[in-house]
Amino acid sequence: MSNLQSLDKTYVAGTYARFPVELAEGKGSVLRDVNGKSYIDLGSGIAVNGFGVGDDQWIAAVTEQLGRLPHASNLYYTEPCVKLAEMLCGRTGMKKVFFGNSGAEANECAIKVARKYSAEKKGAGCFTIVTLKNSFHGRTLATLSATGQDHYHELYQPLVPGFEHIAAGDLEALKAIDAEKGVAGVMIECVQGEGGVVPLEAGFVRGLEAYAHDHDIPLIVDEVQTGNGRSGALYAYMNFGIQPDIVSTAKGLGGGLPIGACLMGERVQNVLTYGDHGSTFGGNPAVCAGAVSILSRIDEALLSGVRERSRLIFDTLTGAPGVESVTGMGLMIGVKTAKPAREVVARCIENGVLCLTAKDRVRLLPALNIPMELLERALAVLRDACGA
Ligand SMILES: *Cc1c(COP(=O)(O)O)cnc(C)c1O
C-alpha cells in the first residue's frame, strides 16, 4: 500500500470503500493520478462537477469573489447570495430560498418547513413525513430517518420519529397513513440515485402531486443529485410535469464547492421567519458566485447536449455483452451488469476510466458537457469491462 493510502487508513475515519486511485489534478473530464496516469471521469465527484473539474468561468467567478469578500455572516446582505436566489426562483417559479452547505442540510430545511407548515395548518399532531422505500436523503439523523433503506438505519437507533416509507407506486399506502394520522409532507427523488438509478413512474408522481395538492400536504422533491441539468431538464421534476412545493438541491449547483439550497414555493413561502433556521456558511459569497456562474450556463443548448449524450450512452450499452439493463434519465445512468458492479468498475480503473456504483449497478454521472469523443472512448472501455 502506498504511503498516502496507509496514512489515510491511519488518520481518516474509515467511512469510505475507496478505490486505489490517488488523484492529483484534473481539467474538464480528464483526471490525473500522482503517477501521471490519466482517467476519463464518468463520476464528476458524484454529480458535483457538472462542467467538469476546474471549469474556467467558475474558477474566475469564485476567485474574483474570494479576492473581494470571501465570507460574511448572514447578519449582513451580500450580492452573490441574493443573485443566486433570484435566479433559482426565476428559473423554477419558486418564491424563496434558504441556503445551507450540503444536500442533507437542504433536506433538513425541507423537512422543517413541511413540519412547521403542517403543524400550523393541521395541529401539532400532524408531523409524519412520508418518503419512499429505496430512497436516499442524506446522513444526518433526520435525513437518515427519511431514507428508506434499512441497512443505513441499523446502528443508529433510535431514529428521529415521524417518518414512514411507502413503496414507489403505492399511492394507497399514502392515503392510508394520511387517514390514520395525517401527513405533514411527502418527499421523493424523481430518479432514485443511491437506490440504483431508478426513475419513478410518471403516473405515480403525478398521482402523488394531485393527492398532496388536494389534501394540503407539501410535496418535497429531493433534487440533490437529479438537479441542475443532470436529468436533461434544469430540475428532474420538470420532466414529470409537476410543481412541487419544496425543492432541495445541492451537489451540481456549486460546481465543486459545498452548497445546499431549499427552494420554497407559493404555499410554504412564508413558513420560515426570524430565528426559525440558520447556517453560518449558508449563502457564502464565494460559493454563491460560483453557483451563479454554473446556473447561468445551464441553458437549453447545454440541456439538449445532455439528452444527446444520454442517448449515446443508452444506445451503446443497451444489449451489449454482459449488460442486463440500462436505467436512468439524462446523464444519471445505472447499468446492471452480469458481473459484480465493483469488478466492472475496477476493470475500468485499470483501463483509465472512472465510474461509480449504486447498489448492484454501475452508475454513470459524467460532466454535462463531456466532449463526445471522450465519452465514446470511455464507453468503449466500459463496454469491454462489462463483457470481458
Ligand atoms: C447525495 C444526496 C444527498 C445527500 O447530500 P450530501 O451533500 O452528501 O449531504 C441527499 N439526497 C440525495 C438524493 C443525494 O443524492
Side-chain angles (χ1 to χ4, degrees):
M1 201 187 298
S2 78
N3 195 36
L4 184 62
Q5 289 177 44
S6 78
L7 285 173
D8 184 284
K9 290 243 167 359
T10 306
Y11 291 114
V12 179
T15 56
Y16 304 104
R18 298 195 208 275
F19 291 102
V21 178
E22 300 176 14
L23 291 174
E25 57 185 16
K27 195 72 187 165
S29 288
V30 178
L31 303 178
R32 235 175 289 284
D33 71 12
V34 293
N35 305 310
K37 177 175 172 179
S38 66
Y39 301 85
I40 303 172
D41 180 19
L42 299 184
S44 306
I46 315 191
V48 166
N49 302 315
F51 286 82
V53 165
D55 167 74
D56 286 327
Q57 288 183 54
W58 174 81
I59 291 179
V62 172
T63 50
E64 199 273 338
Q65 185 61 42
L66 282 175
R68 191 188 292 270
L69 179 69
H71 177 76
S73 80
N74 276 310
L75 301 177
Y76 310 103
Y77 299 95
T78 55
E79 189 180 311
C81 158
V82 175
K83 204 162 149 186
L84 179 60
E86 184 186 17
M87 282 175 73
L88 283 166
C89 290
R91 298 284 300 272
T92 59
M94 304 299 272
K95 301 296 182 197
K96 292 235 173 2
V97 182
F98 178 87
F99 289 111
N101 316 284
S102 67
E105 284 169 275
N107 285 337
E108 288 275 346
C109 180
I111 292 163
K112 285 178 77 170
V113 170
R115 281 215 170 142
K116 187 175 175 203
Y117 176 83
S118 295
E120 286 176 345
K121 275 293 202 63
K122 300 179 178 174
C126 183
F127 52 74
T128 300
I129 306 283
V130 173
T131 69
L132 300 185
K133 293 193 168 135
N134 198 47
S135 60
F136 182 85
H137 297 296
R139 307 285 196 161
T140 61
L141 275 170
T143 59
L144 196 68
S145 308
T147 292
Q149 300 187 58
D150 290 342
H151 70 96
Y152 287 111
H153 294 162
E154 276 151 23
L155 300 172
Y156 304 101
Q157 305 291 332
L159 295 176
V160 175
F163 290 89
E164 296 273 356
H165 312 113
I166 64 172
D170 192 357
L171 201 52
E172 295 307 313
L174 171 65
K175 294 178 189 172
I177 295 166
D178 196 26
E180 186 199 329
K181 51 185 160 187
V183 171
V186 175
M187 177 152 72
I188 57 169
E189 303 155 87
C190 288
V191 182
Q192 295 185 327
E194 304 301 312
V197 200
V198 187
L200 297 185
E201 253 189 69
F204 172 61
V205 172
R206 284 197 289 269
L208 275 184
E209 186 208 30
Y211 185 86
H213 184 267
D214 291 349
H215 295 82
D216 202 13
I217 299 168
L219 174 64
I220 305 165
V221 178
D222 178 343
E223 296 267 6
V224 171
Q225 188 164 157
T226 52
N228 310 299
R230 178 74 30 205
S231 74
L234 178 60
Y235 290 102
Y237 75 78
M238 294 170 174
N239 293 316
F240 291 78
I242 60 164
Q243 185 58 55
D245 298 298
I246 303 172
V247 172
S248 56
T249 191
K251 291 189 170 97
L253 180 61
L257 284 173
I259 191 170
C262 177
L263 284 55
M264 291 159 272
E266 186 124 34
R267 193 138 58 120
V268 298
Q269 63 173 313
N270 295 317
V271 169
L272 293 182
T273 55
Y274 294 121
D276 275 343
H277 202 39
S279 165
T280 298
F281 282 107
N284 171 276
V287 174
C288 287
V292 165
S293 161
I294 295 293
L295 189 59
S296 68
R297 286 179 289 142
I298 304 179
D299 54 13
E300 192 39 47
L302 181 85
L303 294 173
S304 81
V306 168
R307 298 191 293 267
E308 182 190 357
R309 286 162 177 75
S310 179
R311 281 192 295 274
L312 174 71
I313 298 175
F314 273 92
D315 290 348
T316 306
L317 297 177
T318 305
V323 173
E324 293 178 355
S325 67
V326 186
T327 58
M329 191 177 271
L331 287 176
M332 182 169 169
I333 291 176
V335 185
K336 176 121 183 44
T337 52
K339 284 197 276 187
R342 251 191 116 76
E343 251 175 57
V344 173
V345 172
R347 175 68 73 95
C348 287
I349 288 173
E350 274 171 40
N351 294 318
V353 170
L354 298 181
C355 33
L356 308 165
T357 60
K359 283 197 142 171
D360 61 346
R361 315 273 165 95
V362 176
R363 175 171 44 160
L364 309 179
L365 299 164
L368 307 181
N369 65 352
I370 184 173
M372 282 301 236
E373 177 266 334
L374 279 184
L375 181 57
E376 281 165 11
R377 267 167 49 199
L379 288 174
V381 168
L382 173 57
R383 211 168 179 275
D384 278 354
C386 293

